[in-house]
Amino acid sequence: MLPDDIRSQVKKQFEENLKKPVKIVYFTQKLECQFCKNTHTLLSEISALSDKITLDVKDFEDDKEEVTKYNIDKIPATVIMDDVDYGIRLYGIPGGYEFTSLIGDILMISKSEKNLSPKSLEKIATLKKPIRIKVFVTNT
């Protein structure tokens, strides 16, 4: 699914920048949804580019405990995490601009980076309850 030049670029980025292991948890179902098969193929190809990336595939219907644990409400769903679940979720196929977000999320989690200013971190520290932010993107 990934063209050879993109595969080479991503592999190089991973070799140079991945510091600690990253876990991708992917939710699909037996009766494939419109983008489930392609998303699974893409995530398999990406996880094969580094031994620091693992792919854990879950079934949306059969793995209800995991669905609840990760608060998944639609598929295909991709969770990017390390030992900690930071709430990063990608729904749908991460193609186009979302592919860049997927790779960026993997690198950010692996390097334990917080690309926020001290002022932003200070503001976040004052929050009293969890906040759920949803960003919707459409291919045009």
Side-chain angles (χ1 to χ4, degrees), residues 56-77:
D56 188 8
V57 179
K58 302 293 181 185
D59 185 274
F60 187 70
E61 293 298 322
D62 294 342
D63 297 315
K64 288 298 184 189
E65 187 175 315
E66 297 290 312
V67 167
T68 301
K69 174 183 174 182
Y70 292 106
N71 196 26
I72 301 300
D73 59 359
K74 60 186 118 336
I75 57 168

Side-chain angles (χ1 to χ4, degrees), residues 6-23:
I6 300 297
R7 181 178 287 117
S8 295
Q9 290 173 25
V10 171
K11 184 172 183 163
K12 183 177 182 201
Q13 281 290 316
F14 287 168
E15 288 170 352
E16 294 174 356
N17 296 297
L18 290 180
K19 303 297 182 211
K20 61 181 189 171
V22 174
K23 181 178 180 181

